[in-house]
Amino acid sequence: MLIPRRDTGFVHPQGSEITPRAVYESRRTLLRQLAGGAAGAALAAWAARDALAAATPPGKLAPLPGARSAVDGAVTMENATAYQDATGYNNFYEFGTDKSDPARNAHTLKTRPWTVEVEGLVKKPGTWGIDDLIRLSAQEERVYRLRCVEGWSMVIPWVGYSLAQLIRRVEPLGSAKYVEFVSLADKATMPGVNSRVLDWPYTEGLRMDEAMHPLTLLAFGMYGEVLPHQNGAPVRLVVPWKYGFKSAKSIVKIRFTEKEPATAWNKAARNEYGFYSNVNPQVDHPRWSQATERRIGEGGLFAKRRKTLLFNGYEAQVGQLYAGMDLQKFY
Ligand SMILES: Nc1nc2c(c(=O)[nH]1)N[C@H]1C(S)=C(S)[C@@H](COP(=O)(O)O)O[C@H]1N2
Ligand SMILES: [Mo]
C-alpha cells in the first residue's frame, strides 16, 4: 500500500482472474441467451451452486468447522469469494509485497508451538498456547466482507469467535482504553521482515469499544479449515467495517493500553492511514478515491466496480460507535 505504484488502486489481478476469464465470458453469453423466464431462475440456481463449489477448499488443511453464528455477517455463502482467490491474492508484507508472494512464501511460517501474550492493563495477563486459545470459546462461522484500502474486496467465511470473549476473560482494568495487536516478526521464516518496507513488527490497534464489538472476530480458520499461512495462521483479527490492514495476521501479542497505540501503517504514512480507518466512500485516500471497489473474482477485468458502502455495509451494527465524530478528521 505504501509503495506509490501506478497500479496500486487498480491492481492487475494475478492468475486468479486471468484464467477464469473465458469461463466468465461464456457465462455472460449464456446469460444473454437465457435472459428472463424459467431459464433465468434455473441459471441463477446453477450459478449459486457453481459459486459454492468454487468456495470449497481442496481439503489439505485440518478441518475447523464453526456453527453458523448468531452475529449477523450480512452476507451468505453464495457470495463467497472462490477459495483459490482468497488464498492466492493476499497482503502479508512479512512474506513480500506482491499479492502472489504470501501464497508462494508463507509455507516457512511455523504455527506450532505458538503463543499469544496478553499484557498491559488487565487483571489476568498471561501467555496463551494457541490450542487453549482455540478452545476458549465455541468456533463460529461468519461470512464477512473484507475491503482492502487498495480498492478490492472479498467475501470470506471466517471461523472464530468474538474477540470480546477473550477480553472478558482477561478482565481489562478501567484504565484500559485501547487494544494493541502485534504480529510475529521472524526474520528466519518471514523473508519480508528483512526489508524495511514497514517498521516491524506489524502492529495494529482498536479502541476498547471497537475491540469489544461482537462483529470483531478473533479468527482461527476460514472455509471450514484452519487458516492457510498466507491468510494469517494460526490466529488473526477480522474487523469487517475497517480497511483490511486493521485485521492483523499471525498475532503473538495483545496489549491493553491507556493511550492510542501507534500502528504500522500510520507510522509509515501518517497522512494516508489513520488510526480509525473505517471504510468510508466519502473519505478519499490521498492518492485515490475510495468510492468504489472491485470484488475479487467478479467478472474479470471489465466487471463494473461496486459502490463502496459506509462502514463496509455494517453501518447498522457499528454506526453508533462513531456518533458525533468527524469522520473526515478521524480517518
Ligand atoms: N501482519 C500483517 N497483517 C496484515 C497485513 C500484513 O501485511 N501483515 N496486511 C493487511 C492487509 S493490507 C489486508 S487487506 C489483509 C488481507 O487479508 P487476506 O490476505 O486474508 O485477505 O490483511 C491485513 N493484515
Ligand atoms: Mo489492505
Side-chain angles (χ1 to χ4, degrees):
M1 309 194 301
L2 178 64
I3 306 159
R5 280 194 324 218
R6 279 266 150 193
D7 62 356
T8 305
F10 305 88
V11 190
H12 198 88
Q14 313 278 343
S16 55
E17 282 187 8
I18 310 292
T19 320
R21 187 151 140 213
V23 178
Y24 282 114
E25 260 150 25
S26 65
R27 205 176 279 171
R28 253 203 303 268
T29 310
L30 191 65
L31 206 88
R32 246 179 268 123
Q33 288 164 352
L34 296 179
L43 183 72
W46 167 74
R49 253 200 326 274
D50 198 45
L52 275 173
T56 304
K60 287 186 190 135
L61 299 175
L64 184 67
R68 194 64 210 273
S69 174
V71 177
D72 184 12
V75 269
T76 63
M77 268 307 268
E78 282 91 87
N79 308 112
T81 295
Y83 182 85
Q84 292 309 326
D85 291 335
T87 58
Y89 190 89
N90 305 97
N91 271 337
F92 198 170
Y93 276 26
E94 287 85 337
F95 293 103
T97 55
D98 279 356
K99 304 287 176 249
S100 55
D101 283 344
R104 193 168 43 236
N105 297 332
H107 60 92
T108 51
L109 179 70
K110 287 206 177 64
T111 61
R112 294 292 187 287
W114 190 278
T115 55
V116 177
E117 275 175 63
V118 176
E119 58 179 53
L121 305 172
V122 283
K123 277 192 200 131
K124 296 181 174 164
T127 303
W128 288 76
I130 186 66
D131 294 302
D132 291 332
L133 200 57
I134 288 174
R135 283 188 294 263
L136 171 71
S137 189
Q139 297 294 325
E140 299 180 354
E141 180 176 80
R142 300 198 196 150
V143 187
Y144 282 169
R145 286 179 291 267
L146 190 68
R147 191 209 188 272
C148 181
V149 74
E150 291 163 279
W152 46 269
S153 61
M154 296 193 187
V155 174
I156 294 181
W158 302 102
V159 181
Y161 51 75
S162 291
L163 175 67
Q165 302 278 2
L166 172 65
I167 296 180
R168 282 196 202 96
R169 181 66 81 92
V170 299
E171 300 182 31
L173 304 176
S175 53
K177 301 280 186 280
Y178 295 90
V179 189
E180 182 182 10
F181 305 90
V182 182
S183 297
L184 180 70
D186 176 27
K187 285 189 175 174
T189 56
M190 298 171 135
V193 175
N194 292 294
S195 98
R196 300 236 202 109
V197 62
L198 283 175
D199 182 4
W200 311 108
Y202 191 99
T203 61
E204 259 307 334
L206 294 173
R207 213 169 59 187
M208 186 63 97
D209 58 346
E210 299 176 324
M212 286 297 291
H213 193 282
L215 276 181
T216 302
L217 187 74
L218 194 61
F220 305 91
M222 56 192 246
Y223 298 83
E225 297 179 352
V226 297
L227 285 169
H229 290 182
Q230 61 268 38
N231 293 85
V235 56
R236 69 174 291 171
L237 212 59
V238 188
V239 192
W241 71 95
K242 292 179 182 278
Y243 290 118
F245 62 88
K246 299 298 285 182
S247 297
K249 295 176 167 180
S250 304
I251 294 169
V252 290
K253 203 171 282 186
I254 300 177
R255 187 184 290 135
F256 291 76
T257 66
E258 185 157 13
K259 291 213 178 80
E260 187 182 284
T263 69
W265 283 109
N266 188 236
K267 280 195 273 180
R270 184 163 297 276
N271 68 323
E272 302 194 359
Y273 310 108
F275 179 77
Y276 284 91
S277 299
N278 288 315
V279 174
N280 191 336
Q282 317 227 310
V283 178
D284 287 343
H285 184 282
R287 288 186 275 132
W288 59 80
S289 161
Q290 292 291 20
T292 63
E293 67 202 56
R294 182 172 60 85
R295 177 69 52 79
I296 297 293
E298 204 169 63
L301 295 175
F302 305 108
K304 262 209 187 133
R305 294 174 69 88
R306 292 173 174 248
K307 281 205 167 95
T308 287
L309 303 172
L310 181 61
F311 301 121
N312 203 21
Y314 299 96
E315 187 180 2
Q317 292 100 320
V318 302
Q320 262 310 109
L321 296 177
Y322 310 103
M325 268 178 73
D326 180 352
L327 298 177
Q328 299 279 336
K329 190 172 167 212
F330 298 100
Y331 57 91

